[in-house]
Amino acid sequence: MNNINSVRKKIELLKRKEIELETREALMLYRKFHKILGEEYSPDLVVGLVSHAWENKSQKLKEVWLQKATSFRPSQSLPQAN
């Protein structure tokens, strides 16, 4: 029974870590989009831009974007949340 409790605690810790990482990533994306768009920033605008760009590009360009995305490394200049 002790092993089961230990595994459950580890699962819960990993779930919390996942949420923290998703939150950091979302904050990083928000900051980058806001920096690019300035006062024009809105979540709807970002979704519209990304949707339009994705839907209207060739398969070849999409493949290039996907290749770049797998090698993307977040900037270390953002403050780390604890």
Side-chain angles (χ1 to χ4, degrees):
M1 192 63 150
N2 211 9
N3 287 339
I4 292 174
N5 287 334
S6 176
V7 169
R8 285 181 179 148
K9 286 180 183 180
K10 287 179 185 179
I11 290 170
E12 184 60 34
L13 176 64
L14 289 172
K15 286 180 181 179
R16 284 196 306 263
K17 279 280 206 193
E18 180 182 29
I19 290 169
E20 288 175 15
L21 290 172
E22 287 175 345
T23 301
R24 278 192 219 156
E25 188 174 86
L27 183 57
M28 180 187 70
L29 285 170
Y30 163 78
R31 287 178 179 165
K32 286 185 179 198
F33 290 142
H34 198 275
K35 183 178 180 181
I36 292 167
L37 298 172
E39 293 301 313
E40 299 295 319
Y41 171 83
S42 78
D44 290 337
L45 177 59
V46 171
V47 170
L49 289 169
V50 171
S51 296
H52 179 75
W54 188 259
E55 292 166 358
N56 294 298
K57 296 303 172 207
S58 69
Q59 188 60 34
K60 176 84 171 144
L61 185 54
K62 288 178 184 180
E63 289 172 12
V64 170
W65 286 347
L66 289 170
Q67 287 173 351
K68 287 183 179 185
T70 59
S71 64
F72 175 78
R73 297 292 178 258
S75 169
Q76 296 300 314
S77 63
L78 292 177
Q80 297 294 323
N82 289 340

